[in-house]
Amino acid sequence: SCLWRLAYRFAGKQRTLAIGVYPRVGLADARKAREAAKDLLADARDPSAEKKQAKRATRIAGNSFEAIAREWLENERPKWKSNHYERLVRRLEQNVFLHMGKSSIDAIEPAELLDVLRKIEARGVSDIPGRVRQTCSQVFRYAVATGRAKRDPTFDLRGALKAPPRVKHRASIAADALPTFMTRLARYNGDERTRLGIDFILRTMVRTTEARFARWPEFEDLDGRSPLWRIPPGRMKIQREHLVPLAPQVVELLEQLRPLSGKSDLVFVAPTNAGVLSENTFLFALYNLGYHGKATVHGFRGTASTILNENEFEPDWIERQLAHVEKDKVRAAYNAAQWLKQRRQMLLWWSDYLDEAEAKGKMQRDVDELVG
């Protein structure tokens, strides 16, 4: 009968068309399916249509934006630092999943995504929509690569978002202000580790975090002709080892720091939660030197980059010393040597330049005192 046929179909069994018979189904299961089919017919609902709708719902759940996004996150996770992974998860959970997480990824149109981004813009966080769009684009591209979507709709949104505000660069010290700064730093009457730390960061051009957590085993050949600081990947923004050639002046700073470290492996050991000098310690030292709002420790990198470029050092050497990511992957692989010899010469010139600035500042101070 028609009901029995519907019962077989509703139970999830398919008719074997090749031989014109049905596969075997238990009598009890068939009766249950028949009753379920009768109930659907009584409600004027087609059991076959209900089954197709259930299958479609299951397929959409597996191909939903959220499901694909979480799959992509787990796929990329080994490449990232844990805090980067967690930041992307929060970004998607707070801004995207709530609005279109359940949507089938191959059915999402640019207008739907734009509506999500407009909601973020309405919160007044102008830099977040662009980041969310970029992250969504990576998810869509992953879906295209794995055959779950045909295109990335984020490309159609170029120019549709509000332009983010211009980046405000960290306050840095200009070349003509270095003599005064170096003189003040030399006379700093606070903690000796702080003074030495600021000088160390200025001369090596590294980021504050890379310096603060420096360990003695990372330094090589300090008594030799080619002293080197080997910063491990886990502490680098680019997630790869960074080699820093050390000028004699920097080696001298390390010699002054060693007795201040005691038995610790940490160079800038301090009684803080992290066990090292805090970023605020350096910042407050700059305040005490008279540079509140005029300079930041991170801004030293900009100062060094500007002066080295103005003195016609190779931009590639400067960018490598700053540990900036090489955009061209082939070029990055080719430059595996990292211009170590050239950067050593450049950093020696930079330390000599700072020494000359300090000497000039002291001379000017002496003249001012005599005149005064």
Side-chain angles (χ1 to χ4, degrees):
S1 69
C2 178
L3 274 177
W4 278 108
R5 287 193 179 92
L6 290 172
Y8 274 107
R9 291 179 182 173
F10 196 71
K13 309 297 180 180
Q14 297 294 325
R15 188 174 186 179
T16 309
L17 298 176
I19 58 176
V21 298
Y22 292 105
R24 292 182 179 179
V25 179
L27 184 58
D29 290 338
R31 283 175 174 167
K32 289 179 181 178
R34 183 188 65 177
E35 294 303 317
K38 285 171 65 177
D39 291 341
L40 289 173
L41 287 171
D43 293 336
R45 292 154 65 193
D46 182 355
S48 179
E50 291 285 331
K51 181 180 175 181
K52 289 179 181 179
Q53 186 176 355
K55 282 186 176 180
R56 182 174 179 275
T58 300
R59 179 179 62 81
I60 290 176
N63 280 353
S64 69
F65 182 88
E66 181 173 350
I68 302 299
R70 292 193 183 279
E71 183 181 322
W72 168 73
L73 286 165
E74 290 305 315
N75 187 64
E76 298 293 314
R77 188 173 188 173
K79 305 175 186 178
W80 300 329
K81 285 185 177 181
S82 59
N83 60 348
H84 179 68
Y85 167 81
E86 291 163 3
R87 182 165 56 250
L88 289 183
V89 171
R90 287 195 304 271
R91 181 179 298 168
L92 289 169
E93 287 179 344
Q94 295 173 4
N95 299 289
V96 184
F97 292 164
L98 292 175
H99 305 293
M100 65 179 204
K102 291 182 170 56
S103 299
S104 178
I105 198 163
D106 60 349
I108 295 175
E109 294 293 330
E112 182 178 357
L113 180 56
L114 180 60
D115 184 58
V116 172
L117 298 176
R118 290 285 189 228
K119 288 181 171 66
I120 302 171
E121 283 184 336
R123 303 204 310 258
V125 283
S126 56
D127 60 322
I128 300 299
R131 296 178 185 178
V132 171
R133 174 184 170 276
Q134 183 180 36
T135 303
C136 288
S137 178
Q138 291 176 289
V139 175
F140 281 116
R141 293 203 303 270
Y142 175 75
V144 171
T146 54
R148 268 84 63 87
K150 296 185 181 300
R151 60 190 293 270
D152 175 4
T154 64
F155 286 109
D156 296 329
L157 300 182
R158 290 178 177 177
L161 298 176
K162 294 179 181 178
R166 294 183 63 181
V167 176
K168 185 177 181 181
H169 295 286
R170 306 289 183 90
S172 59
I173 299 172
D176 59 2
L178 269 177
T180 300
F181 174 78
M182 295 301 296
T183 304
R184 291 181 182 180
L185 180 62
R187 301 178 68 183
Y188 178 67
N189 59 4
D191 188 280
E192 183 70 359
R193 288 167 300 180
T194 304
R195 181 186 69 79
L196 294 171
I198 291 174
D199 204 0
F200 177 83
I201 294 171
L202 178 59
R203 292 175 187 271
T204 55
M205 298 169 58
V206 299
R207 296 178 178 88
T208 310
T209 299
E210 295 158 7
R212 288 171 52 231
F213 290 91
R215 292 180 174 273
W216 289 110
E218 295 169 4
F219 295 92
E220 304 172 3
D221 199 29
L222 291 181
D223 296 325
R225 299 179 61 183
S226 303
L228 187 72
W229 180 20
R230 193 180 298 271
I231 308 177
R235 207 159 70 247
M236 295 301 302
K237 187 176 181 179
I238 57 175
Q239 283 293 284
R240 65 169 177 249
E241 184 179 69
H242 182 47
L243 304 181
V244 181
L246 303 176
Q249 294 94 322
V250 178
V251 173
E252 184 179 342
L253 291 175
L254 289 170
E255 290 174 353
Q256 296 177 57
L257 282 162
R258 189 178 287 277
L260 302 177
S261 298
K263 297 180 180 180
S264 176
D265 273 351
L266 293 165
V267 176
F268 296 101
V269 63
T272 63
N273 291 335
V276 297
L277 292 176
S278 69
E279 289 190 42
N280 283 339
T281 297
F282 290 126
L283 190 60
F284 292 151
L286 291 183
Y287 292 173
N288 291 333
L289 290 171
Y291 290 89
H292 192 299
K294 300 177 182 178
T296 64
V297 179
H298 189 86
F300 293 160
R301 289 161 56 83
T303 297
S305 177
T306 298
I307 293 173
L308 291 172
N309 274 292
E310 287 176 349
N311 284 273
E312 299 183 353
F313 281 92
E314 286 292 333
D316 284 338
W317 306 352
I318 300 170
E319 293 302 298
R320 178 63 71 181
Q321 184 56 39
L322 293 169
H324 285 162
V325 177
E326 180 63 71
K327 294 180 180 179
D328 185 334
K329 293 183 179 179
V330 175
R331 181 181 173 85
Y334 181 75
N335 293 331
Q338 299 190 21
W339 294 290
L340 204 56
K341 180 179 179 180
Q342 295 89 335
R343 287 192 293 122
R344 185 177 296 282
Q345 295 170 351
M346 180 180 73
L347 287 177
L348 175 58
W349 181 94
W350 173 234
S351 268
D352 288 345
Y353 180 93
L354 293 173
D355 288 348
E356 290 175 10
E358 182 179 346
K360 183 178 178 181
K362 287 180 178 178
M363 184 181 298
Q364 184 60 50
R365 185 196 66 202
D366 292 342
V367 171
D368 290 343
E369 288 178 353
L370 284 174
V371 173

